[in-house]
Amino acid sequence: MKDADDVARTLGADLRHGLTSQEASRRLSENGRNELRAAPRVPAWRRFLSQFRDPLVYLLLAAIAITLVAWAIEGFAGWPLDTIVIATIVLLNGGLGYVQEAKATDAVAALARMTAVTSAVVRDGQSMRIPSAELVRGDLLVLGEGDAVGADARLVQATSLRVQESSLTGESEAVLKDATTLREPASLGDRLDMVFKGTAVAQGTGRAVVTATGMDTEMGAIAEMLEATADEPTPLEKEVGRIGRMLGAAVVIIAAVVAGTILLISDIRSAADVISVLLLGVSLAVAAVPEGLPAILSVVLAMGVQRMAKHGAIVKNLSSVETLGSASVICSDKTGTLTRAEMTIERVMTVSGSTRITGVGYAPQGRVEYEAAELAGGPLRDEQILVLSGGSLAGNADLRQGSGGAWEIQGDPTEGAFLVAERKLGATERRERRFERIGEIPFTSERKMMSTIQRDREHADELVVITKGAPDVLLDRCTRARVGSDVVELDEPLRARILAEVGTLSDAALRTLAVAYRPLGPGKDPLITESLERDLVFAGTVGIIDPPREEAAAAIREARRAGIRVIMITGDHPRTAARIATDLGIAGADAAALSGNEIDALDDAAFAEAVRKTSVYARVAPAHKLRIVDALQADGNVVAMTGDGVNDAPALKSADIGIAMGVTGTEVTKEAANMILVDDNFATIVEAVREGRGIFDGIRKFLRYLLGSNMGEVLTVFLGVVGAGVIGLTGAESNAGGAVVLPLLATQILWINLITDSGPALAMGVDPPTDDVMAREPRRLDERVIDARMWAGVIQVGAVMAVVTLLTVDIFLPGGLIEGTRDLATARTAGFTVLVFAQLFNCFNARSETASAFSHLFVNRWLWGAVGLSVLLQVAVVHLGFLNLAFGTVPLALDQWMLCVAMASAVLWCSELHKWISRRSRSHAPRRTAPMLKRES
């Protein structure tokens, strides 16, 4: 309710020259940057500790406690090797997770710096553009069409200024602003003398003095509400949590069963026997838990994030990568994502004929064609120059070539389309020399036109009004038409013919604009009012299109091949939306777009059915987007949704994967999203889906490997205890005294986990896809990361490992099924080595459930490096004296090594046989089609 001058005095603002640079700098230092407050920065030590909030880590901490108890029972003899090894692994896991999370955070921060929003201000009496984050109270904002309002500000001047405020008020129509002081307090939507941060200038111009910045703005309140919204865990986070809980229960059950079995079948005579049973339980717990899973999962996801960043997609949450790979529907904006966001004039129609302009985008490369040949001189060319130069004059855009050689438009893209087409015709230089603007009648939605008054230097400084606008509206203001260099009366037959030609352009889904003019004659400058827009001479009509991205059509085909449904949601006209969707292959040629009004008329049941069949939505509001997402999710889909405006934030938050635009997206939208597209390109989304599927395959690979290997350890110990008498373990040493002799020592199990559960498993996680990940349907929502098929394979591989390990022990020991001659230390070392090598052979098995291990055998150099290192470490633990002492091993002869390798390779050959049978059975089975994907015919 304060007068603009009073506001300026209160803020110490200068409404003519703006703040000085020194004063602006002082205020910035005093009040802080004009930024929405991010979530409070978590201290480094807390971020590090948060890495240990994981069920699998809890199991390892429990194992540490058990080993410490066992060490205490033994009287603190020696070093607690078990405790030290497990604790070291836990700390390494935490440190690795911390580093990778920090890298992801840095990537998001780098994007924020790259996409910083700018504002036009007056400082030191000069108009300049500065980062919006550097705006301060008292700054003088200069507002123009298409600008983002950088801060809350009090208007001091407004000319036909309309601001889109739906992000704050829900009002779908742009609000006409007025610098006049309000007479009484008003609600947010009725504060016509104010503009607000995060809104956008739809039309007109204005100046305003900044009154609030950062979290003191109205947009700051919305940001606070979004921060308070709880995020839903992604499917991968839920699944990993479920695996942790399941393994925890399994460890307790296995340890209890084995301990109970020992108590029943063994002669427990002393505390030492109890300690042996306790140590056995610990070793089984360690064997059952894949210690490296949390760290490997973090590394695999983080490396996927880095690869996606190179493709232009910044993922804010590591687990969101896998969710994107599970997407069954991608809901995409049209403008800028599926199209180039570079309005292009494709057709020009005048009284003498119609021409086609080649080339797309802002680069003035192309030509004007008439009947498939370049337009020559004559009346038609004169008319074309009049239309394109007239449209360029009746606008405020500027076409310029950047330092990198790329052409860009400053201002409205539609107005820029006239500049590009005019330059293709070669008429730009003459127009710039000939005309001088002396006034403007801005565009309004009621008039649907805008005009400029120009001084024509080629005609004795004669004044002329040049108008562009909607063809039907402009024709009502025209009484004559231009034909070549002549002017004729605009009679009814000619008017009807022009309207029919406009209809032809509209039917081709082109946006139409007409151009007209009227000489005002020499003399005194006229009063610039709407009364000048009469008795106009019709020049012609243009058909404009936002051309589809060339790569978008190929990306959509790839998405369809992957069983992903693509839906286009736009605020554009239904016919334009339908044409773009048809050109890109989103919908069939006869498919119609569902408009926002039609959506409102449908009840929930009818809307749910429509969503199953419709892939093109036009003239939709933010509430419609949210309703579409909810309906798709209710139908069992994993939905990825793109958005750029602040009003898209609710739909992005509700979607399984919210994707914000990095170029055109607002700060609040980026904050609500899971992923940010640096280039606003749909093809980047599909590439991210490919990467997500590859990451999921990598996760399944290392889970298949880890669980199969750990199952082998568990079954080896369990079956070795239960069947000790069968394989000659019972009484293998004269001093055993009837006590149980374990097939493997706890320290040996820890060693196996250390060399096989880290490097090889991590290399498995980054293994290139062995199958075409885009040739299969999306993963169903009810499909587990570890499904029944994988569990069957895990048990099978584990059983083979246990059998060959125990059989090797039997071969070396006297008695049992196979008579041997070696002592227990040698037999245990051989069994230990077989189990290590069997797990290394399993690396190659686990790369695919169906493809042969010999397929693409050498594509992963990291896997071969990890396997080679593990082999060297195993040789060291067998042949180095101090390691013999620590791990209870003895050196093996060459023939014994050969036997161990041959026995371990049984894992490979058994898996190859199983895969061969599986491939033959699958080759006769029909391909599964996801029932949730119902496309248009």
Side-chain angles (χ1 to χ4, degrees):
M1 294 174 61
K2 279 188 176 183
D3 182 82
D5 292 330
D6 292 339
V7 172
R9 279 192 296 271
T10 302
L11 295 172
D14 186 329
L15 298 183
R16 183 176 180 183
H17 298 98
L19 298 175
T20 64
S21 298
Q22 293 81 0
E23 176 62 16
S25 178
R26 186 191 68 78
R27 295 188 182 193
L28 184 64
S29 300
E30 182 178 304
N31 301 318
R33 293 172 65 83
N34 174 36
E35 295 174 330
L36 298 180
R37 183 177 63 244
R41 186 171 181 83
V42 180
W45 65 271
R46 289 186 60 186
R47 294 202 307 273
F48 179 73
L49 291 180
S50 69
Q51 305 302 317
F52 303 98
R53 291 198 301 243
D54 186 286
L56 297 177
V57 175
Y58 297 156
L59 293 177
L60 293 176
L61 294 177
I64 290 174
I66 294 173
T67 56
L68 284 174
V69 171
W71 183 48
I73 292 175
E74 288 182 311
F76 302 102
W79 288 95
L81 182 62
D82 299 354
T83 304
I84 293 171
V85 172
I86 301 174
T88 301
I89 292 173
V90 170
L91 290 174
L92 287 174
N93 288 346
L96 195 54
Y98 172 82
V99 170
Q100 297 301 335
E101 184 178 295
K103 286 183 178 180
T105 302
D106 291 343
V108 175
L111 176 71
R113 291 191 296 271
M114 182 181 65
T115 58
V117 181
T118 62
S119 295
V121 298
V122 175
R123 286 184 180 174
D124 299 318
Q126 301 291 325
S127 181
M128 63 182 71
R129 293 201 76 88
I130 64 171
S132 295
E134 296 179 7
L135 289 173
V136 297
R137 296 177 69 202
D139 255 328
L140 184 60
L141 276 178
V142 180
L143 303 173
E145 185 171 328
D147 283 348
V149 180
D152 289 3
R154 170 65 162 87
L155 285 169
V156 297
Q157 176 187 328
T159 304
S160 300
L161 181 66
R162 288 185 179 272
V163 179
Q164 180 58 255
E165 296 182 339
S166 57
S167 58
L168 290 172
T169 65
E171 176 62 44
S172 59
E173 293 293 327
V175 178
L176 180 62
K177 294 293 184 175
D178 190 340
T180 304
T181 304
L182 298 178
R183 296 181 178 179
E184 58 186 23
S187 62
L188 184 64
D190 295 325
R191 296 176 195 169
L192 303 183
D193 59 350
M194 293 286 297
V195 291
F196 302 101
K197 178 180 175 66
T199 60
V201 178
Q203 67 180 52
T205 59
R207 290 193 173 197
V209 60
V210 174
T211 58
T213 59
M215 294 303 293
D216 293 331
T217 63
E218 297 293 338
M219 188 58 66
I222 290 182
E224 285 185 329
M225 288 187 288
L226 278 176
E227 286 176 7
T229 304
D231 291 322
E232 181 72 13
T234 67
L236 181 60
E237 290 171 330
K238 294 177 183 177
E239 183 72 0
V240 170
R242 189 186 68 86
I243 293 171
R245 292 189 296 272
M246 180 188 64
L247 287 176
V251 166
V252 173
I253 294 172
I254 291 171
V257 169
V258 173
T261 302
I262 294 173
L263 292 174
L264 288 175
I265 67 175
S266 302
D267 186 10
I268 304 298
R269 300 178 180 178
S270 64
D273 293 336
V274 175
I275 291 173
S276 297
V277 175
L278 190 59
L279 286 175
L280 177 60
V282 172
S283 66
L284 282 177
V286 173
V289 178
E291 296 95 330
L293 179 56
I296 294 169
L297 186 61
S298 295
V299 171
V300 170
L301 289 172
M303 293 181 72
V305 165
Q306 292 167 1
R307 288 195 300 271
M308 291 173 70
K310 293 178 182 178
H311 290 294
I314 302 294
V315 176
K316 295 167 57 179
N317 182 284
L318 297 183
S319 298
S320 297
V321 180
E322 184 272 336
T323 310
L324 184 62
S326 303
S328 58
V329 177
I330 300 175
C331 297
S332 175
D333 282 338
K334 176 182 72 69
T335 304
T337 307
L338 294 170
T339 63
R340 297 167 61 103
E342 297 178 349
M343 302 301 290
T344 303
I345 293 179
E346 189 175 89
R347 301 281 300 280
V348 181
M349 285 188 169
T350 62
V351 175
S352 297
S354 171
T355 61
R356 184 177 299 275
I357 301 180
T358 64
V360 295
Y362 292 154
Q365 299 170 354
R367 64 179 189 174
V368 180
E369 295 181 345
Y370 176 66
E371 295 182 347
E374 186 168 4
L375 179 66
L380 181 57
R381 181 179 175 83
D382 294 339
E383 294 172 12
Q384 301 284 311
I385 291 174
L386 177 61
V387 172
L388 297 179
S389 293
S392 298
L393 290 167
N396 296 306
D398 184 25
L399 174 66
R400 63 183 65 172
Q401 191 170 20
S403 57
W407 290 85
E408 56 188 29
I409 292 292
Q410 299 292 325
D412 183 84
T414 302
E415 293 181 351
F418 280 95
L419 297 171
V420 176
E422 179 196 40
R423 193 171 287 270
K424 292 176 182 177
L425 192 57
T428 300
E429 292 184 1
R430 182 186 175 192
R431 186 257 303 168
E432 291 176 342
R433 290 194 308 267
R434 178 176 176 180
F435 292 99
E436 175 190 359
R437 179 183 294 197
I438 64 168
E440 174 185 340
I441 306 173
F443 175 89
T444 67
S445 58
E446 291 81 12
R447 293 167 46 250
K448 295 184 179 179
M449 65 177 69
M450 77 164 289
S451 301
T452 61
I453 292 81
Q454 306 281 342
R455 179 173 280 113
D456 187 350
R457 297 190 181 97
E458 291 186 3
H459 290 79
D461 289 342
E462 181 181 63
L463 299 182
V464 57
V465 58
I466 302 176
T467 306
K468 79 172 189 304
D472 54 341
V473 175
L474 204 59
L475 275 171
D476 288 341
R477 308 265 183 132
C478 294
T479 57
R480 293 167 293 168
R482 181 71 174 261
V483 181
S485 58
D486 299 324
V487 176
V488 301
E489 289 297 317
L490 184 60
D491 55 22
E492 287 305 315
L494 181 56
R495 186 182 300 272
R497 178 185 138 198
I498 292 172
L499 287 174
E501 290 173 345
V502 171
T504 301
L505 295 177
S506 297
D507 289 341
L510 297 174
R511 181 183 178 186
T512 57
L513 282 176
V515 177
Y517 71 99
R518 180 167 73 91
L520 299 178
K524 186 177 180 180
D525 292 351
L527 183 63
I528 300 176
T529 66
E530 296 177 12
S531 62
L532 296 178
E533 297 170 331
R534 59 180 175 80
D535 298 327
L536 301 175
V537 179
F538 180 80
T541 307
V542 298
I544 307 174
I545 190 171
D546 181 8
R549 289 181 180 265
E550 294 178 1
E551 64 273 24
I556 289 169
R557 288 193 298 271
E558 185 72 351
R560 283 189 171 274
R561 189 172 73 90
I564 300 171
R565 179 183 174 193
V566 179
I567 293 177
M568 185 173 77
I569 303 176
T570 179
D572 215 334
H573 192 280
R575 279 190 295 192
T576 303
R579 175 188 166 173
I580 296 295
T582 300
D583 290 348
L584 291 173
I586 293 175
D590 57 346
L594 191 65
S595 70
N597 290 336
E598 292 170 329
I599 291 174
D600 291 335
L602 297 175
D603 59 26
D604 290 342
F607 180 68
E609 184 60 29
V611 167
R612 295 188 185 102
K613 299 177 180 178
T614 305
S615 293
V616 186
Y617 298 87
R619 290 286 194 254
V620 296
H624 297 136
K625 287 188 175 183
L626 185 59
R627 191 179 178 192
I628 292 168
V629 169
D630 291 343
L632 288 167
Q633 290 174 324
D635 210 26
N637 291 284
V638 176
V639 181
M641 165 69 80
T642 70
D644 51 10
V646 179
N647 52 8
D648 291 330
L652 265 60
K653 198 78 172 177
S654 179
D656 297 284
I657 290 290
I659 305 172
M661 302 295 105
V663 177
T664 60
T666 62
E667 294 177 49
V668 175
T669 307
K670 293 173 185 175
E671 193 66 28
N674 306 99
M675 188 175 86
I676 303 171
L677 294 185
V678 174
D679 55 4
D680 292 9
N681 193 339
F682 180 83
T684 303
I685 302 176
V686 177
E687 187 61 37
V689 169
R690 182 194 304 277
E691 189 66 50
R693 290 190 175 191
I695 289 171
F696 177 70
D697 273 14
I699 292 171
R700 284 179 60 91
K701 286 177 184 180
F702 77 68
L703 282 174
R704 192 183 300 121
Y705 165 72
L706 283 176
L707 295 177
S709 298
N710 288 12
M711 182 65 71
E713 297 169 30
V714 171
L715 291 179
T716 296
V717 175
F718 179 72
L719 296 177
V721 170
V722 174
V726 178
I727 61 175
L729 272 176
T730 303
E733 290 189 352
S734 58
N735 61 351
V740 173
V741 179
L742 301 178
L744 296 174
L745 300 177
T747 52
Q748 292 175 344
I749 293 175
L750 288 171
W751 175 262
I752 294 173
N753 288 354
L754 186 63
I755 68 171
T756 64
D757 281 14
S758 50
L762 179 58
M764 291 288 298
V766 297
D767 191 56
T770 52
D771 306 310
D772 185 356
V773 296
M774 300 297 277
R776 58 173 181 256
E777 301 291 336
R779 188 167 62 93
R780 295 193 306 269
L781 285 175
D782 59 351
E783 184 177 334
R784 299 290 190 184
V785 177
I786 307 176
D787 53 18
R789 178 187 177 89
M790 184 186 287
W791 276 121
V794 164
I795 294 172
Q796 172 192 313
V797 168
V800 173
M801 286 184 185
V803 168
V804 295
T805 300
L806 295 176
L807 191 58
T808 302
V809 172
D810 189 16
I811 291 173
F812 279 82
L813 283 177
L817 299 175
I818 303 173
E819 186 65 30
T821 60
R822 301 293 179 176
D823 59 10
L824 177 60
T826 303
R828 186 179 276 152
T829 301
F832 171 41
T833 301
V834 167
L835 188 53
V836 169
F837 281 16
Q839 294 192 15
L840 297 180
F841 276 117
N842 190 38
C843 286
F844 302 99
N845 290 334
R847 294 177 64 233
S848 173
E849 283 187 333
T850 56
S852 170
F854 298 99
S855 175
H856 305 100
L857 185 59
F858 299 103
V859 297
N860 189 348
R861 66 179 186 275
W862 298 108
L863 180 58
W864 280 100
V867 169
L869 179 61
S870 297
V871 170
L872 290 177
L873 290 173
Q874 183 61 22
V875 171
V877 83
V878 170
H879 287 283
L880 294 182
F882 71 96
L883 291 177
N884 291 156
L885 182 63
F887 292 95
T889 56
V890 295
L892 297 176
L894 179 60
D895 61 325
Q896 293 170 337
W897 275 102
M898 298 298 291
L899 175 63
C900 290
V901 172
M903 294 294 289
S905 69
V907 173
L908 175 65
W909 307 122
C910 288
S911 291
E912 283 295 296
L913 177 61
H914 179 266
K915 290 179 181 180
W916 179 78
I917 296 172
S918 177
R919 287 195 299 270
R920 285 186 59 84
S921 62
R922 282 195 170 193
S923 64
H924 301 294
R927 184 186 179 196
R928 175 180 64 82
T929 301
M932 58 190 171
L933 298 175
K934 300 180 180 179
R935 303 191 185 96
E936 297 170 287
S937 58

